[in-house]
Amino acid sequence: MTQSKTLFTVALLTGILSTSVAQTRYLDDVGDQIVVTSNVVYGSNIGIISQTPTLEELKMDLYQLAGDDTTTNKPVVIMLHTGSFLPAIANGQPTGDKTDNAIVEMCERFAKKGYLAVALNYRLGWNPLGTQEEKANTIINAVYKSMQDGKSAIRFFRKDAATTDTYKIDPNMVVLGGSNSGGYAALASGALDKASELNLFKFLGTNGQPYVNIGIWGDFEGDNGTAGFSNFNHPGYDSDPQMVLNMGGAMGDSSWIEAGEVPMVSFHGVADPLTPYATAIVIVASTGDPIVEVSGSLDLSLRATRLGNQNWNETAMTDAISVKARSRSAAIGLYPFPGPANGFEPWGWYDANDPNIATGMAINPYASKPRALMYIDTIMGYF
């Protein structure tokens, strides 16, 4: 792990362990008026949502405290939404955009603590109605592209910090996070970095070739792809986050995690019907079909703990939320939510006047705003 990543984790923990009752920026709310800058373009790349490779603008919404424009060295938290890599409703949910309720709520809360919070849209599109191989192939490629987009956003901010410094961020304090499918993208960004990791048997087609063709779609950063299929945004800047915030996501294989890679904090419904808590077959919301075996938050956190990547002293954290986390799992940095009522995205909710609310309630029948906010309280408190 690089020195900057180690220092970032130490800085977080130093603040967490502080006993000061004064408001501490980045731990406590230091304001309540939020300014949102919508649809900032952070790059462009080739998407397939139209079934034909098409150049798409990549957009994000920025959340920060009013009047905080001149505060320097702000940590950045970039959040990716849920949605099974398809647009809302087509994905079997009324969610799937940077304006999802849970993403907006978390960005507002981070902003009130002084962070620059970012709600990110990323490329969508795969074929949930194809053959089993087509489904596995196209959804793995969708995860891959979303990871590239998350990394593009990180480079966008690091380029800004090195040039115009519009956003006054600390380029060594960048968190990439996400809910459910956004969690897949965030987790991949912290671990997927070798072509061999895409050559596992379950990621190979019947022709023996990996589903993800790096020569066409570009490497893990989006570079060295084929013109008309890949676009590399903001070259010359590092793409790696210093920490991953995973809410209900999973990773293609736990073996992707190696010693020295970035720490992660994970939240997961143990009884999630779509994304496994341990290692099992992922189920797609829009069709209910099984796709491919993945590793969820439990197995990822246990491996990261065993390899020493979760480099903070969990037992020294004596707050009630941390104690509760330890009572539920031996993995460092994992907060599981047990019980069937806490399965799929318990931190999410749907607007009562949304004509598609029944679609979401079928997956998360317990969803309500008051209930979801309690889960977000826990997520913010533990993270």
Side-chain angles (χ1 to χ4, degrees), residues 11 13 21 67 167 173 185 199 211 239 250 297 327 343-344 348 364 374:
L13 294 174
V21 295
Y167 302 108
M173 290 192 177
N199 291 337
Y211 290 143
S239 300
S297 300
S327 74
F344 175 76
N364 184 2
M374 290 191 294

Side-chain angles (χ1 to χ4, degrees), residues 49-361:
I49 194 67
S50 65
Q51 303 302 309
T52 301
T54 304
L55 187 66
E56 298 179 12
E57 282 191 332
L58 304 174
K59 297 179 180 180
M60 59 185 174
D61 297 342
L62 309 182
Y63 294 72
Q64 60 183 332
L65 281 176
D68 206 31
D69 311 59
T70 59
T71 300
T72 59
N73 294 320
K74 291 190 285 282
V76 183
V77 180
I78 301 171
M79 295 297 297
L80 284 70
H81 59 80
T82 186
S84 298
F85 306 99
L86 289 170
I89 307 309
N91 61 24
Q93 306 167 49
T95 50
D97 185 79
K98 58 185 171 62
T99 59
D100 287 352
N101 291 327
I103 294 297
V104 171
E105 177 70 22
M106 292 197 65
C107 284
E108 289 179 348
R109 293 198 189 196
F110 277 118
K112 289 177 181 178
K113 297 180 188 302
Y115 295 82
L116 175 64
V118 181
L120 202 76
N121 269 0
Y122 50 90
R123 285 172 290 169
L124 304 175
W126 64 286
N127 183 9
L129 302 177
T131 66
Q132 180 64 27
E133 181 169 1
E134 287 170 339
K135 286 184 284 193
N137 182 328
T138 55
I139 198 169
I140 289 167
N141 273 279
V143 176
Y144 188 77
K145 293 181 181 70
S146 67
M147 176 199 70
Q148 290 178 326
D149 293 347
K151 286 175 172 284
S152 288
I154 292 174
R155 291 196 303 275
F156 172 92
F157 285 110
R158 290 196 172 125
K159 178 180 179 180
D160 174 78
T163 54
T164 59
D165 201 23
T166 301
Y167 302 108
K168 306 292 190 297
I169 66 118
D170 185 334
N172 296 314
M173 290 192 177
V174 180
V175 176
L176 189 63
S179 178
N180 295 81
S181 49
Y184 280 77
L187 287 166
S189 75
L192 182 58
D193 57 3
K194 295 180 177 63
S196 60
E197 294 173 335
L198 292 171
N199 291 337
L200 300 177
F201 181 75
K202 61 184 173 182
F203 302 137
L204 302 181
T206 53
N207 60 2
Q209 297 301 307
Y211 290 143
V212 177
N213 189 326
I214 292 177
I216 293 177
W217 297 110
D219 60 21
F220 306 104
E221 322 304 317
D223 195 12
N224 298 312
T226 300
F229 292 88
S230 177
N231 187 36
F232 186 41
N233 298 286
H234 319 301
Y237 298 91
D238 186 74
S239 300
D240 293 334
Q242 271 76 40
M243 182 174 273
V244 166
L245 168 56
N246 163 43
M247 299 161 56
M251 191 178 288
D253 199 85
S254 61
S255 66
W256 290 0
I257 300 177
E258 299 174 298
E261 292 180 334
V262 301
M264 64 183 75
V265 174
S266 291
F267 303 86
H268 208 118
V270 175
D272 191 327
L274 303 180
T275 298
Y277 175 56
T279 295
I281 304 294
V282 66
I283 305 298
V284 175
S286 56
T287 64
D289 292 335
I291 301 296
V292 67
E293 183 186 79
V294 298
S295 294
S297 300
L298 174 63
D299 287 356
L300 300 180
S301 299
L302 287 171
R303 181 174 173 85
T305 297
R306 187 167 60 251
L307 293 174
N309 295 352
Q310 309 292 73
N311 60 341
W312 61 86
N313 184 359
E314 184 100 341
T315 58
M317 299 168 67
T318 57
D319 61 283
I321 296 177
S322 296
V323 171
K324 178 66 75 174
R326 287 198 297 277
S327 74
R328 294 179 175 180
S329 173
I332 296 175
L334 172 63
Y335 196 105
F337 296 113
N342 305 323
F344 175 76
E345 201 182 27
W347 47 83
W349 76 96
Y350 318 112
D351 294 328
N353 59 355
D354 188 326
N356 302 298
I357 188 172
T359 308
M361 296 302 289

